[in-house]
Amino acid sequence: MIKSYPFNYLSNKYYQWAASTIVIFLTGWKYFLSFFHELFIMKEPGMYTLIFMATLLSYGYGIFLIFRNFNNYELTFESGTIIITVLLIGDTISAVLNKKISNNIKNTLSLENKKANLVNNNFENEKLIEIINLKIGDIVLIKKGEKIPSDGKIIKKNALLDESMLTGEANYVQKTMNDNVYGGTVNVGDYFYVQIDKEIDKTLMSEIANKVNEIKHQKSKIGKIADRIAMLFIPFVIILAVLGFLLQYYIFEKQNVAFAINTFVSVIIIACPCALGLATPLALAIGISKATKYGIIFNNVDVFDKINKINAIAFDKTGTITTGKLMVSKIYGTNQNNALIYNIEKFSNHPIAKSITKFLELEKNIEPINFDDYNEILGEGVIAKIKNNTYRIIAFKDDDFDELINFNEKTKNELTEDMKKNNVFIAFYVNNSIENVILLSDEIRLDAVKTIEKLNLKKIESFMITGDNDKNAKKIAAILGIKNFYANVLPIQKSEIVKTIQAQNKIVAYVGDGLNDIVALQQSDLAISMNNNSSAITNSSDITIVKEQLFSIYQALICVKLTRKIMISNFLWAFGYNIVALSLAMFGIIPPMFSAIAMGLSNITVLLNSLIFNALKIKF
Ligand code: ADP
Ligand code: MG
């Protein structure tokens, strides 16, 4: 005994007992809860079962040694304390990373157009405002596909809503005047007006927070690997521990119970795979945080499993391959119809409609017009009625030239020339004659060619499925080098085409931006949506691309591959230690205390491995 040693009490067995009791039970109680949950509620012994076994065994064995006065054997309290301490450190790191991720996601989501269409008490003067500036009593116009910004009441027209995010019911609900509607639910019918009666900020934030939490708590298939390994591990470890005990007792240290028990404890402690528990969450945290930087939001954890299997990708055209921000270059025909065209398109969410209204807004004094009937047909256009007049806005096709009865030859020739310079042509029908032709041009996204090339290199074949005409589709497919394209496709047929591609033994990702893409997104094996104000689409996708770029799709692929790489190398590190140390422990070469240190080291290595990956810049 060295009397002058100032920390002499540290070696006092009762002090050790007390201190470890505090660490294990006061700070570590939640791991015991996890163990009970795992064993008695989930009925699947996993990682926490091993942790529980190792911790309690080292603690119990420590007490046993005190009472049996095996002075020549070190007490084993520190093993249990180290296990709990390491777990706490791992949790703290995860918490810090998760906070960083949820901030990242919040920042990324704020890039999204969180806007509402505010109107005055006469339902006029539509203005786009930030949702956070909405006040109680405000009246907002909810267009097809839009999310209701906050809770309120319908005050004009009827609504067809998707409330599944609230009720879990897949069926759409019909609502009429004075019915309550809820923030976050989605308009799947035609436009209607809502008066807001709840504050917005809390609901919106909690929605985002819930999403982050949801992802954290979902166990992906790869995430479950850790538990599956632990489950297989348990009987194996117990057999090894018993074997170690027998080996020591009958062969190496004949009849020495204390040493044999020591070996048994050592093996169990060393097998405790808390590094396995760190391996998946750390890798996921890094993958998700990197992805958000590139404007990619993963809406569920299964993406990490699904994306790797993809070998075909089908793109929508307008708003996906093209920017969807179309330039109106000219409107042929009388400008007396401008007010009608404006008022019809202002209730539609389609990129073409948005571009036309934006263009016409430049004209002053457009009067609001009320329609007796209004019907938006996805992938085709809009039909509206006032009394006996029917107005239609739909694509203008080459053979529609015969119907231009109000146009003289000179104008028709001009139109033909102009059509060569543009690529989107829209007709405005009054009853059965075309009164106006609107010419717009839509541009291919700057990174589209690069994205498709890169995907090709990864052996992912590209397809294009569009509601637009054959001529346009052909032109764009040629520029992009896409061999397989489908034109004039109705929304329902889009999913049929996805099905046909799947039938060729392909695992298909579908990328779309419009309401006309929802069925196809649902049919696909991996649904990717390009950012759009329409929540109906975001809700039915696995990945949302928030940035205005196509290349994010390729980046998502790389981020997931990286995540898997981190995960697998983490598993290897976690196991490397276990396997080496297990055999040493079995032959009594390392005592429990060293087992605990080895275990701590494996945690640190897993952590370092993850951090190194995190620090590396991804090359695309
Ligand atoms: P894509 O599949 O390329 O995204 P859509 O299926 O959304 O195209 O639309 C197909 C065609 O229907 C458009 O090219 C356009 O001609 C017409 N269309 C659909 N909705 C509207 C609208 N609101 N206003 C004008 N044209 C529309
Ligand atoms: Mg589209």
Side-chain angles (χ1 to χ4, degrees), residues 316-318 345 348 350 352 379-381 395 426 466-467 494 516:
D316 160 58
K317 185 178 73 65
T318 319
E345 289 290 47
S348 166
H350 196 277
I352 293 177
E380 284 187 36
I426 302 297
T466 174
K494 285 196 174 190
N516 57 333

Side-chain angles (χ1 to χ4, degrees), residues 316-320 322 350-351 494 510 512-517 532:
D316 160 58
K317 185 178 73 65
T318 319
T320 301
T322 67
H350 196 277
K494 285 196 174 190
Y510 184 88
D513 76 305
L515 293 167
N516 57 333
D517 297 314
N532 178 298

Side-chain angles (χ1 to χ4, degrees), residues 146-384:
E146 283 182 348
K147 192 186 261 188
I148 301 175
S150 187
D151 296 1
K153 267 193 175 52
I154 298 181
I155 54 168
K156 189 170 170 188
K157 299 189 71 83
N158 298 330
L160 187 63
L161 296 173
D162 175 2
E163 292 194 331
S164 58
M165 49 302 285
L166 274 181
T167 59
E169 292 286 326
N171 294 338
Y172 295 156
V173 279
Q174 203 108 36
K175 300 223 169 170
T176 59
M177 286 277 286
N178 284 326
D179 280 348
N180 284 320
V181 292
Y182 304 97
T185 58
V186 174
N187 175 14
V188 288
D190 287 316
Y191 71 96
F192 63 94
Y193 296 88
V194 168
Q195 184 157 36
I196 301 300
D197 63 11
K198 284 256 172 63
E199 300 264 352
I200 166 80
D201 50 342
K202 281 198 191 99
T203 30
L204 187 76
M205 274 306 130
S206 67
E207 195 191 314
I208 293 167
N210 285 344
K211 194 168 184 184
V212 174
N213 274 335
E214 228 174 78
I215 293 192
K216 252 169 44 197
H217 289 130
Q218 280 172 11
K219 273 197 176 168
S220 69
K221 277 184 199 137
I222 12 178
K224 283 183 192 140
I225 292 177
D227 275 332
R228 238 178 288 151
I229 294 174
M231 218 156 98
L232 293 175
F233 217 48
I234 294 171
F236 177 68
V237 166
I238 293 174
I239 292 170
L240 282 191
V242 171
L243 218 67
F245 178 92
L246 296 177
L247 229 72
Q248 294 305 329
Y249 191 72
Y250 290 109
I251 299 171
F252 296 128
E253 299 277 330
K254 290 209 159 86
Q255 314 297 316
N256 187 339
V257 187
F259 199 86
I261 292 177
N262 228 17
T263 304
F264 182 86
V265 173
S266 216
V267 171
I268 300 266
I269 292 172
I270 243 176
C272 172
C274 27
L276 265 190
L278 285 178
T280 321
L282 276 177
L284 281 179
I286 291 167
I288 293 174
S289 117
K290 289 221 183 253
T292 45
K293 274 194 211 134
Y294 301 112
I296 305 153
I297 294 189
F298 296 119
N299 295 324
N300 55 60
V301 172
D302 282 339
V303 172
F304 287 89
D305 214 41
K306 284 185 189 169
I307 200 172
N308 240 16
K309 305 195 178 95
I310 295 301
N311 55 13
I313 184 161
F315 294 93
D316 160 58
K317 185 178 73 65
T318 319
T320 301
I321 281 179
T322 67
T323 62
K325 293 191 172 58
L326 303 94
M327 293 280 295
V328 177
S329 59
K330 194 158 179 187
I331 302 183
Y332 277 83
T334 165
N335 60 9
Q336 310 233 314
N337 290 331
N338 284 359
L340 275 167
I341 297 173
Y342 175 84
N343 277 285
I344 292 174
E345 289 290 47
K346 96 174 177 195
F347 297 114
S348 166
N349 225 341
H350 196 277
I352 293 177
K354 284 185 182 167
S355 309
I356 293 176
T357 44
K358 216 169 180 180
F359 178 77
L360 289 175
E361 252 159 29
L362 299 174
E363 287 189 24
K364 289 184 190 75
N365 308 326
I366 292 187
E367 291 289 313
I369 296 172
N370 286 323
F371 299 102
D372 297 329
D373 194 24
Y374 183 98
N375 201 348
E376 181 173 354
I377 303 159
L378 291 179
E380 284 187 36
V382 188
I383 302 180

